[in-house]
């Protein structure tokens, strides 16, 4: 099958993980980020920029989400403030970045 070069600007990024609650028990989470699809050159530039944090990178590429709820269980609208609240959870920027990198890149077929 031939490679068809198509400009793909958007990317859905499923983010799956767990956090500890107040009692030390695992609380699983799963949500989807809507992101801008960067080219390899743009990703290389971002990684080389030692001034940009992982959280700042994710703020730059994320444009929306699905399955993020507030404390009452209602859907939480995507906004800079709400995304900052998600990214303020320890380790969350790295988890989001890890899944972004997994989804944005080509992979070898077995």
């Amino acid at each position: 099958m031939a490679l068809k070069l198509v400009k793909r600007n958007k990317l859905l990024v499923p983010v799956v993980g767990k956090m500890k609650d107040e009692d030390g028990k695992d609380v699983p989470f799963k949500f989807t980020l809507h992101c801008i699809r960067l080219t390899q050159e743009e990703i290389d530039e971002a990684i080389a920029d030692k001034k940009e944090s992982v959280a700042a990178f994710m703020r730059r590429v994320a444009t929306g989400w699905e399955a993020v709820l507030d404390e009452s269980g209602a859907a939480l609208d995507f906004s800079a403030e709400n995304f900052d609240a998600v990214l303020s959870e320890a380790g969350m920027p790295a988890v989001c970045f890890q899944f972004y990198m997994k989804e944005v890149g080509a992979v070898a077929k077995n």
Side-chain angles (χ1 to χ4, degrees):
M1 178 181 287
L3 170 65
K4 185 175 182 180
L5 289 178
V6 177
K7 178 78 171 151
R8 296 175 178 95
N9 297 322
K10 298 178 182 179
L11 180 67
L12 293 179
V13 179
V15 180
V16 181
K18 61 184 177 180
M19 294 187 289
K20 300 284 186 186
D21 68 8
E22 295 85 3
D23 299 322
K25 295 179 184 170
D26 288 338
V27 178
F29 63 83
K30 180 178 180 181
F31 63 96
T32 301
L33 286 174
H34 297 226
C35 295
I36 297 167
R37 182 188 297 266
L38 298 181
T39 65
Q40 184 63 53
E41 182 178 353
E42 292 168 326
I43 292 169
D44 290 344
E45 288 174 6
I47 291 171
D49 182 2
K50 302 297 183 196
K51 296 175 189 166
E52 183 176 50
S53 68
V54 174
F57 175 88
M58 291 310 304
R59 283 186 201 98
R60 186 158 53 99
V61 299
T63 61
W65 61 27
E66 297 169 25
V68 177
L69 309 176
D70 66 16
E71 288 184 35
S72 69
L76 191 61
D77 290 335
F78 182 85
S79 68
E81 181 180 345
N82 289 341
F83 192 44
D84 282 345
V86 169
L87 293 176
S88 72
E89 293 289 340
M92 189 61 78
V95 170
C96 292
F97 180 77
Q98 173 186 351
F99 281 99
Y100 178 86
M101 294 304 293
K102 178 182 176 195
E103 293 299 317
V104 76
V107 296
K109 182 178 178 185
N110 292 334

